[in-house]
Amino acid sequence: MESPHAIPNIIFILFIWFAFIIYVQAQSQTTVTKKKPSALFVFGDSTVDPGNNNYIRTPMKSNFPPYGRDFINHIPTGRFSNGRLVTDFIASYIGVKDTVPAYLDPTLTIQDLMTGVSFASAGSGFDPLTATLSSAIKLEQQLEYFKEYKSKMEMFIGKEGIADLINKSVFMLSAGTNDYIVNYYGLGESVTGVLYPNVTSYNNFLLQNIEQFIKELANEGARKIAMVGLPPMGCVPGEITLNGDVSRRKCVESMCSVATEYNVLLENKLKGMQISGVKLYYADIYKPILDMIQFGQSKLGFDDVSTGCCGSGYIEAAVLCNMNSPVCDDASKYVFWDSVHPTEKAYQYIFTTLRPIVDMVLNDN
């Protein structure tokens, strides 16, 4: 006669067996979603510049305290934040390295170069005039540095080796904010405003430059290119101070509308471009930054969403945020580090929202 405990025992064994199968499948899927690329290469402005501006003559520097206060060993590397950038979190997540170094750093080893570098320069943009206004490295020059990089690496790993490395790498481009804040509506307004009398014409000009840059990058072997859109520019503390409601620290809606229009055009441009063998991706940072500003105090653990941690929080950036500036005790409670750039915690939150895009990039064949 069958034991009354037999059936429950069988059910328990089947439960354990199915749980094991589900676990194995989940582990297998996790492995698939994190295919490791050979390297990460970055182009753009201060949002992704880890210190290239340290090695050129420009006022756009941040290689001094209190910048880097929460970075590894509290070193001010030239990153415009208190700690790591989005690209550092991405590099760590995809398994190529802990942080992305600046290409112009003369102390880089071959291994540093092998796994990717950033060519970005704080103050740069898609309009060549933008970089000129800040004495930054133009996007065209950043591309020339990439070509120089390839020539250097070819000496060590050969022509086929560098071609294979580039083919299996991920490329990221983050710029555009300076084109509007510094150039079109700022220092370059007298020149750019005459050439492009309305923002729509300027948008089209920038998109043409972006398309040309992507094509040239593809000609150099890039196969996976992620393009970052604009943030809600009107919510940047410095922009609020100069053009917004200072007493209530409300975003400048007109500037946010410009960013929204540009992002739609950029996303459509990327969808419409057809380059054989090349995958293009749009990375949205507008929504996560706006979410931090709108819901940061109630849901995300931020105490201050409209001023920077460094200085008064209203206007200081670069040399205006320095050792003599008052600095908040805990930058993790702030969305912005200075009047323009996010804190490490904010960058980390942005990364978490971009992670599905990163996984898509890694899995695309």
Side-chain angles (χ1 to χ4, degrees), residues 195-252:
L195 294 174
Y196 307 97
N198 57 67
V199 72
T200 299
S201 61
Y202 192 57
N203 286 340
N204 291 332
F205 166 67
L206 294 182
L207 289 170
Q208 288 172 3
N209 289 351
I210 290 170
E211 181 174 8
Q212 183 60 36
F213 185 89
I214 289 175
K215 288 180 177 178
E216 291 181 14
L217 200 55
N219 287 338
E220 293 301 319
R223 291 296 171 261
K224 293 183 177 183
I225 306 171
M227 288 285 306
V228 178
L230 290 180
M233 298 184 295
C235 298
V236 170
E239 194 62 24
I240 294 175
T241 300
L242 294 173
N243 301 294
D245 186 337
V246 180
S247 61
R248 292 188 293 169
R249 304 301 297 171
K250 293 187 68 175
C251 298
V252 183

Side-chain angles (χ1 to χ4, degrees), residues 166-177:
I166 299 302
N167 183 264
K168 295 177 180 177
S169 295
V170 173
F171 292 76
M172 185 173 176
L173 178 56
S174 176
T177 303

Side-chain angles (χ1 to χ4, degrees), residues 53-259:
N53 277 19
N54 300 349
Y55 308 99
I56 65 172
R57 297 186 66 179
T58 175
M60 298 298 293
K61 295 179 186 286
S62 60
N63 56 341
F64 45 82
Y67 287 99
R69 188 180 71 174
D70 302 304
F71 193 71
I72 302 165
N73 298 324
H74 313 291
I75 297 174
T77 59
R79 287 169 171 81
F80 282 76
S81 185
N82 61 304
R84 290 166 290 176
L85 307 176
V86 168
T87 41
D88 296 318
F89 288 110
I90 291 175
S92 177
Y93 177 71
I94 64 180
V96 293
K97 58 176 69 188
D98 291 331
T99 58
V100 182
Y103 173 68
L104 295 183
D105 183 349
T107 68
L108 295 186
T109 65
I110 295 302
Q111 186 57 38
D112 291 330
L113 293 168
M114 279 278 287
T115 48
V117 291
S118 174
F119 303 93
S121 174
S124 194
F126 296 117
D127 182 344
L129 177 60
T130 303
T132 300
L133 292 169
S134 300
S135 299
I137 305 170
K138 296 178 181 179
L139 264 297
E140 297 94 325
Q141 182 58 49
Q142 292 182 35
L143 188 62
E144 289 303 311
Y145 279 139
F146 177 59
K147 295 176 183 178
E148 178 185 88
Y149 164 88
K150 288 175 60 180
S151 297
K152 284 181 181 178
M153 294 306 297
E154 188 176 321
M155 296 170 57
F156 294 97
I157 60 177
K159 196 167 186 177
E160 290 185 5
I162 188 61
D164 184 61
L165 185 148
I166 299 302
N167 183 264
K168 295 177 180 177
S169 295
V170 173
F171 292 76
M172 185 173 176
L173 178 56
S174 176
T177 303
N178 295 321
D179 291 314
Y180 294 95
I181 292 180
V182 176
N183 188 342
Y184 194 77
Y185 294 108
L187 299 174
E189 184 177 13
S190 59
V191 175
T192 310
V194 172
L195 294 174
Y196 307 97
N198 57 67
V199 72
T200 299
S201 61
Y202 192 57
N203 286 340
N204 291 332
F205 166 67
L206 294 182
L207 289 170
Q208 288 172 3
N209 289 351
I210 290 170
E211 181 174 8
Q212 183 60 36
F213 185 89
I214 289 175
K215 288 180 177 178
E216 291 181 14
L217 200 55
N219 287 338
E220 293 301 319
R223 291 296 171 261
K224 293 183 177 183
I225 306 171
M227 288 285 306
V228 178
L230 290 180
M233 298 184 295
C235 298
V236 170
E239 194 62 24
I240 294 175
T241 300
L242 294 173
N243 301 294
D245 186 337
V246 180
S247 61
R248 292 188 293 169
R249 304 301 297 171
K250 293 187 68 175
C251 298
V252 183
E253 291 301 326
S254 59
M255 290 298 290
C256 289
S257 296
V258 169

